[in-house]
């Protein structure tokens, strides 16, 4: 008996597309799984860059001809999102910093990135301004936990920059948003590490807020992709940020307002949820919801592989064959 072919799903990506959605890496990667017209982008977040604190820090170091100039006290910068990279880029493009551009070339700090997208963005900034700096992590560090482990010696990229007196590691600067997990500071600043312990100072370089129109836009796409409208095809929602979690559950009708969490019994459903990584998965667990899939790698291919594997396994099990195939 031939293996049943998974139906082509509707895929709702809770993120902004690239300027040309048809060439977005998620569209091009997911189209073998489903037609492009069944891939929907729903922007959920708006970001405001806050480069001023970083500009002040850089200028304090770059004004090396002045009596008040300070040595750059950090041995590395940690960036876990493209917004942090954008804020770094904004700081480096600031006219007062640009005036010291030649001195930036002499800045020797390590750059640590979480995820391939952050790593790629950071490469562009490094090549333009900081060509004396080396990048670690990126594609090889899909989460903050993996990156912190790498910095502690689990893989290439151990952070071993010592203080001038030769005792202990030099502090690192974590460029972050106002909301973040504490896994990186917690792991690096563990007192049990002794002289391998790394002081992590944090600098908020962007803020994130939910778009006011997200609720309306999400409801509109949910209506358009309702299985009753599309002939019973399965639907996937892909979550890229913890901030999208509650809004997604409310939009899908899965939120219990009185209990302050996801409803316990969702019954039979044709909408499945994939999350981009462990941070979002753990946040949704805190809301009482267990995602159906977590991408093994935070990338378009990771999302595609996770959805494809799940659908094939569900079909092979036979348990949800009718549900996935849209049969009554």
């Amino acid at each position: 008996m031939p293996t049943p072919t998974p139906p082509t799903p509707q895929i709702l990506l809770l993120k902004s597309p690239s300027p040309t959605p048809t060439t977005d890496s998620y569209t091009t990667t997911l189209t073998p799984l489903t037609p492009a017209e069944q891939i929907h982008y729903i922007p959920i977040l708006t970001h405001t860059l806050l480069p001023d604190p970083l500009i002040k820090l850089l200028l304090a170091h770059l004004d090396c001809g002045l009596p008040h100039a300070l040595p750059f006290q950090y041995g590395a910068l940690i960036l876990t999102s493209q917004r942090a990279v954008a804020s770094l880029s904004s700081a480096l493009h600031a006219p007062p910093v640009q005036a010291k551009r030649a001195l930036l070339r002499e800045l020797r700090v390590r750059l640590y990135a979480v995820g391939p997208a952050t790593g790629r963005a950071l490469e562009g900034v490094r090549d333009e301004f900081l060509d004396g700096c080396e990048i670690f992590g990126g594609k090889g560090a899909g989460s903050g936990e993996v990156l912190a482990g790498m910095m502690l010696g689990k893989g290439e990229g151990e952070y071993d920059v010592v203080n001038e007196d030769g005792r202990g590691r030099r502090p690192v600067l974590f460029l972050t948003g106002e909301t973040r997990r504490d896994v990186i500071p917690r792991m690096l600043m563990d007192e049990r590490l002794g002289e391998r312990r790394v002081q992590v100072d944090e600098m908020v370089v962007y803020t994130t807020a939910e778009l006011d129109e997200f609720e309306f836009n999400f409801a509109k796409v949910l209506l358009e992709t309702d299985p009753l409208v599309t002939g019973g095809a399965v639907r996937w929602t892909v979550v890229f940020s913890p901030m999208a979690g509650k809004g997604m559950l409310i939009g899908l009708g899965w939120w219990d307002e009185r209990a302050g969490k996801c409803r316990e019994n969702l019954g039979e459903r044709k909408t499945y949820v994939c999350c981009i990584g462990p941070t979002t998965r753990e946040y949704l667990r805190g809301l009482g919801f267990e995602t159906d899939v977590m991408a093994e790698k935070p990338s378009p291919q990771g999302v595609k592989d996770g959805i494809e594997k799940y659908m094939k396994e569900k079909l092979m099990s036979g348990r949800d064959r009718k549900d996935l195939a849209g049969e009554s």
Side-chain angles (χ1 to χ4, degrees):
M1 184 176 181
T3 301
T5 303
T8 57
Q10 298 280 342
I11 300 180
L12 283 55
L13 302 167
L14 303 189
K15 68 183 293 291
S16 299
S18 61
T20 52
T22 54
T23 61
D24 188 287
S25 58
Y26 276 91
T27 302
T28 56
T29 302
L30 292 170
T31 43
L33 188 61
T34 197
E37 61 269 20
Q38 293 183 192
I39 299 172
H40 312 267
Y41 292 87
I42 306 104
I44 185 170
L45 304 175
T46 180
H47 307 286
T48 302
L49 302 184
L50 304 173
D52 287 356
L54 189 53
I55 292 173
K56 291 178 182 178
L57 176 67
L58 289 170
L59 288 177
H61 168 69
L62 295 174
D63 286 337
C64 53
L66 301 177
H68 64 271
L70 300 173
F72 199 73
Q73 64 267 45
Y74 299 106
L77 302 181
I78 298 175
L79 304 96
T80 60
S81 72
Q82 295 177 71
R83 275 76 60 193
V85 177
S87 196
L88 173 62
S89 177
S90 179
L92 294 171
H93 276 96
V97 178
Q98 281 288 291
K100 312 285 185 180
R101 183 161 182 162
L103 296 174
L104 280 174
R105 302 287 181 186
E106 300 176 12
L107 190 63
R108 295 292 185 268
V109 295
R110 297 186 182 187
L111 303 172
Y112 287 91
V114 170
T118 304
R120 287 192 299 269
L122 191 54
E123 285 176 5
V125 174
R126 186 272 310 274
D127 293 346
E128 183 176 2
F129 295 104
L130 306 168
D131 53 5
C133 301
E134 191 171 1
I135 297 175
F136 298 92
K139 185 177 181 180
S143 69
E145 184 175 6
V146 173
L147 184 74
M150 178 183 296
M151 295 179 71
L152 293 174
K154 296 179 180 177
E156 184 180 356
E158 179 179 4
Y159 181 70
D160 54 4
V161 180
V162 298
N163 289 310
E164 291 184 1
D165 62 6
R167 299 180 60 186
R169 301 292 194 263
R170 185 177 298 183
V172 300
L173 182 62
F174 185 7
L175 303 181
T176 180
E178 79 278 34
T179 302
R180 55 104 188 112
R181 289 182 69 201
D182 68 349
V183 62
I184 292 176
R186 177 168 47 81
M187 289 179 64
L188 295 182
M189 294 196 294
D190 191 332
E191 296 291 347
R192 294 173 296 182
L193 293 171
E195 290 204 349
R196 293 173 58 237
R197 178 184 181 276
V198 181
Q199 173 63 35
V200 179
D201 292 345
E202 298 181 34
M203 180 180 287
V204 175
V205 294
Y206 67 93
T207 60
T208 303
E210 185 176 312
L211 284 171
D212 293 336
E213 57 267 34
F214 166 71
E215 185 176 343
F216 173 81
N217 293 337
F218 189 38
K220 180 175 180 290
V221 176
L222 286 175
L223 183 63
E224 294 170 351
T225 59
D226 189 298
L228 295 177
V229 176
T230 60
V234 66
R235 175 170 61 184
W236 282 87
T237 299
V238 185
V239 194
F240 294 84
S241 164
M243 291 193 71
K246 183 178 177 181
M248 177 199 69
L249 294 174
I250 291 174
L252 290 169
W254 296 350
W255 184 255
D256 185 335
E257 189 64 41
R258 179 174 295 181
K261 64 178 183 178
C262 181
R263 291 193 288 112
E264 292 187 3
N265 184 13
L266 298 179
E268 294 186 7
R269 55 189 174 96
K270 293 185 179 180
T271 298
Y272 297 85
V273 176
C274 172
C275 68
I276 195 65
T279 300
T280 303
R281 179 186 62 186
E282 292 305 315
Y283 181 82
L284 286 167
R285 280 177 176 170
L287 298 180
F289 179 75
E290 186 68 34
T291 56
D292 300 292
V293 169
M294 184 191 79
E296 290 189 8
K297 294 184 178 180
S299 65
Q301 190 64 45
V303 170
K304 175 183 179 292
D305 291 345
I307 291 176
E308 196 167 38
K309 179 181 178 182
Y310 185 89
M311 290 178 66
K312 287 180 178 179
E313 288 179 351
K314 296 284 279 189
L315 282 168
M316 289 298 290
S317 71
R319 180 168 58 88
D320 290 318
R321 187 173 303 173
K322 290 184 178 181
D323 182 44
L324 286 171
E327 299 175 5
S328 58

